[in-house]
Amino acid sequence: MLASCGPALGTALRRAAPASLASFHCSARQRRAARVAVVLSGCGVYDGTEIHEASAILVHLSRGGAEVQMYAPDVPQMHVVDHSKGQPAEAESRNVLVESARIARGKIANLAKLTTADHDAVIFPGGFGAAKNLSTFAVDGKDCKVNREVERVLKDFHKAGKPIGLCCISPVLAAKVLSGAEVTVGHEEEEGGKWPYAGTARAIKELGGKHCVKEAVFSLTSFHEAHVDTKNKVVTTPAFMCETELHKIFDGIGAMVKNVLKLTGK
């Protein structure tokens, strides 16, 4: 083929090829996977991290080629819930970091070690642990306090201009810490039980955040199941705030993760 192009052109192409290939391989080496921190709050929807949400986040991050490190605060849980009864288990106590290690398969670090220098983004799954162990929202509502390390991480990533992803109830953390942040927990009315935690939207406004109504999943009337606050680089999705099929929640979380990874620029 080179011969048919003429001797001079063929020689030029042969000489250029090695340099072009070197440039291609160099650019390929320079591309780095996004490094994402995932912050857990225990193990179990009623007193810790919602396990399905954590799993969905990890699957979508893996599919997106991200490098993941999980963290949790080394603090006692607010209480322990017997998930078979939905009631607190009296006289039991557990540690948030130890319980979170169950989801992380042991590969977890103390939240105090999480820094923006080591990560391109941070994601918080939901579950009542976000409102009980990462904050006191479950007890104090708009007057809640946020765990010191959680507050530090949110402020540090925000200051560094690095994306923050949250789902289910965890957007209350951003609403409390990042004044004026736009988040979603879905709808603002219960709609016959479809949105059983709709009151959270009002609390978000009281916390100083802006609530944006979104569906849990793609529909003909809503094309953005995840809300992206481009100014603050905060991405949220309702997840289990809505009573719907598991695969739809999985897809909604996927939209959140996809947008977080997109904001990293990796």
Side-chain angles (χ1 to χ4, degrees):
M1 181 177 178
L2 292 179
S4 65
C5 296
L9 180 57
T11 301
L13 287 173
R14 281 193 295 272
R15 288 175 177 173
S20 299
L21 287 174
S23 176
F24 173 79
H25 288 303
C26 181
S27 63
R29 286 196 300 271
Q30 289 174 347
R31 288 195 65 182
R32 180 172 55 79
R35 300 169 300 176
V36 182
V38 176
V39 180
L40 305 179
S41 61
C43 182
V45 58
Y46 297 126
D47 59 10
T49 301
E50 212 300 321
I51 299 172
H52 294 296
E53 291 178 5
S55 179
I57 288 168
L58 295 173
V59 169
H60 287 297
L61 284 173
S62 175
R63 184 169 287 153
E67 296 177 2
V68 177
Q69 173 63 53
M70 284 172 269
Y71 296 87
D74 186 5
V75 296
Q77 289 186 186
M78 173 184 151
H79 61 186
V80 178
V81 174
D82 181 340
H83 282 63
S84 69
K85 299 177 181 177
Q87 299 175 351
E90 301 298 336
E92 270 200 61
S93 62
R94 297 185 186 182
N95 178 279
V96 175
L97 178 61
V98 172
E99 290 302 296
S100 298
R102 294 175 180 271
I103 297 175
R105 297 173 63 86
K107 297 178 181 179
I108 196 164
N110 190 323
L111 185 60
K113 297 181 179 180
L114 172 53
T115 68
T116 56
D118 294 330
H119 301 87
D120 301 301
V122 62
I123 294 180
F124 292 79
F128 283 94
K132 294 178 177 181
N133 305 326
L134 303 188
S135 72
T136 63
F137 180 77
V139 176
D140 300 323
K142 66 181 180 63
D143 298 317
C144 69
K145 295 180 180 179
V146 175
N147 172 278
R148 181 177 62 185
E149 292 299 335
V150 172
E151 182 174 1
R152 175 189 62 80
V153 167
L154 288 169
K155 287 182 175 179
D156 285 355
F157 274 80
H158 183 256
K159 183 178 180 180
K162 295 185 176 182
I164 300 167
L166 311 102
C167 66
C168 196
I169 192 70
S170 66
V172 300
L173 302 172
K176 176 68 175 180
V177 175
L178 308 176
S179 181
E182 296 179 1
V183 301
T184 188
V185 289
H187 283 206
E188 298 179 357
E189 302 295 334
E190 290 190 18
E191 299 179 17
K194 182 179 180 181
W195 297 91
Y197 310 107
T200 306
R202 293 188 293 275
I204 282 172
K205 297 174 184 178
E206 294 173 335
L207 288 168
K210 179 180 178 182
H211 185 259
C212 303
V213 174
K214 294 290 177 181
E215 299 292 334
V217 295
F218 171 86
S219 73
L220 294 178
T221 58
S222 176
F223 296 91
H224 302 282
E225 57 270 31
H227 179 72
V228 182
D229 178 350
T230 53
K231 178 182 177 181
N232 293 296
K233 290 192 176 181
V234 174
V235 187
T236 51
T237 191
F240 277 102
M241 297 298 276
C242 180
E243 289 290 335
T244 189
E245 294 94 335
L246 179 59
H247 71 277
K248 293 181 179 179
I249 291 168
F250 181 89
D251 291 344
I253 290 173
M256 180 266 286
V257 170
K258 182 178 180 179
N259 278 287
V260 167
L261 292 177
K262 183 178 180 181
L263 287 172
T264 68
K266 303 296 181 183

